[in-house]
Amino acid sequence: DGGITQSPKYLFRKEGQNVTLSCEQNLNHDAMYWYRQDPGQGLRLIYYSQIVNDFQKGDIAEGYSVSREKKESFPLTVTSAQKNPTAFYLCASSIFPIPNSYEQYFGPGTRLTVT
Amino acid sequence: KQEVTQIPAALSVPEGENLVLNCSFTDSAIYNLQWFRQDPGKGLTSLLLIQSSQREQTSGRLNASLDKSSGRSTLYIAASQPGDSATYLCAPRAGSYQLTFGKGTKLSVIP
């Protein structure tokens, strides 16, 4: 089955610890994205990558870091500098450039709780 | 900066009713607009994508319309079912990749 997998589904961490969220896709997509969703809020873009070994900051990149060493993988690290890390994190992918007729596909998400 | 508003924020209807969800956006220079469904604690499932050159898209009981010039899109759900209960998100794409999301409409269909 083609798709996007995110692991783990739930993640609990103590304040001050860095944590890495996994995102893998087997859709052969060039571009990958990380979004954050807070209750009652729209999704906000954290980082995106259009090609291997390249990535760009989105609207809320502070306190996060990413890498793109392989086409199919785009891990997100939530660092201790992120002031409010508790949220639902969604990974997405698409071909790039994206034709007007093409969608972004989303993974199942990781719920991170930091106490 | 693109801003997306979805009205109403929540909607409760009896099973079998037809309903309309509304989405408005401030930047009409969009490439396309996607409607998504999100079940509690789950990821997003794409329902429909309307290209900027299109007025409507249909999939089964769902029909989405787009009026780009006025910055509006609607999602029409016919003969609603309890399984349609979810949060519905709209997301216009104004740049080469960037989707901007509304806060969603939470739909409850009562049996």
Side-chain angles (χ1 to χ4, degrees):
Chain A
D1 277 338
I4 302 173
T5 57
Q6 292 186 241
S7 61
K9 187 174 180 179
Y10 300 98
L11 192 51
F12 299 89
R13 279 294 181 270
K14 296 283 189 188
E15 196 172 320
Q17 293 180 335
N18 292 354
V19 60
T20 297
L21 282 61
S22 168
C23 177
E24 304 273 335
Q25 55 96 2
N26 61 4
L27 300 167
N28 200 31
H29 284 166
D30 301 296
M32 297 185 74
Y33 314 83
W34 274 106
Y35 292 88
R36 169 183 173 138
Q37 186 177 36
D38 294 283
Q41 300 295 320
L43 277 71
R44 293 179 290 169
L45 183 66
I46 305 172
Y47 267 99
Y48 66 98
S49 168
Q50 297 167 357
I51 194 170
V52 173
N53 292 323
D54 185 58
F55 47 83
Q56 306 295 330
K57 292 181 180 180
D59 298 325
I60 54 165
E62 186 174 349
Y64 299 97
S65 66
V66 293
S67 63
R68 186 85 186 278
E69 297 177 1
K70 298 186 294 182
K71 185 176 183 178
E72 58 271 19
S73 178
F74 190 40
L76 173 74
T77 296
V78 184
T79 75
S80 56
Q82 168 49 232
K83 293 188 174 116
N84 296 296
T86 295
F88 190 50
Y89 291 87
L90 288 155
C91 178
S93 71
S94 71
I95 61 174
F96 191 85
I98 314 176
N100 290 0
S101 59
Y102 203 80
E103 306 167 356
Q104 282 191 20
Y105 292 82
F106 282 77
T110 292
R111 183 164 301 281
L112 172 65
T113 302
V114 177
T115 58
Chain B
K1 181 184 173 186
Q2 178 77 279
E3 292 183 4
V4 179
T5 302
Q6 291 190 246
I7 294 173
L11 181 63
S12 184
V13 301
E15 182 177 1
E17 193 161 294
N18 301 328
L19 58 101
V20 175
L21 308 181
N22 296 292
C23 171
S24 62
F25 46 94
T26 55
D27 183 355
S28 61
I30 64 170
Y31 291 93
N32 62 35
L33 184 144
Q34 278 186 258
W35 280 94
F36 294 90
R37 169 187 173 134
Q38 185 175 30
D39 293 289
K42 305 289 187 184
L44 274 62
T45 300
S46 182
L47 298 173
L48 288 165
L49 179 146
I50 313 179
Q51 298 180 58
S52 59
S53 58
Q54 297 175 323
R55 298 282 295 186
E56 283 189 3
Q57 274 290 340
T58 298
S59 176
R61 294 182 294 109
L62 305 179
N63 175 278
S65 68
L66 176 65
D67 184 344
K68 202 175 77 157
S69 60
S70 68
R72 294 180 187 275
S73 178
T74 62
L75 179 67
Y76 175 83
I77 303 177
S80 58
Q81 303 171 358
D84 295 330
S85 297
T87 296
Y88 291 81
L89 300 166
C90 75
R93 178 161 73 89
S96 59
Y97 63 90
Q98 178 101 24
L99 294 179
T100 302
F101 285 84
K103 294 181 181 180
T105 294
K106 184 174 182 180
L107 173 65
S108 299
V109 180
I110 311 302

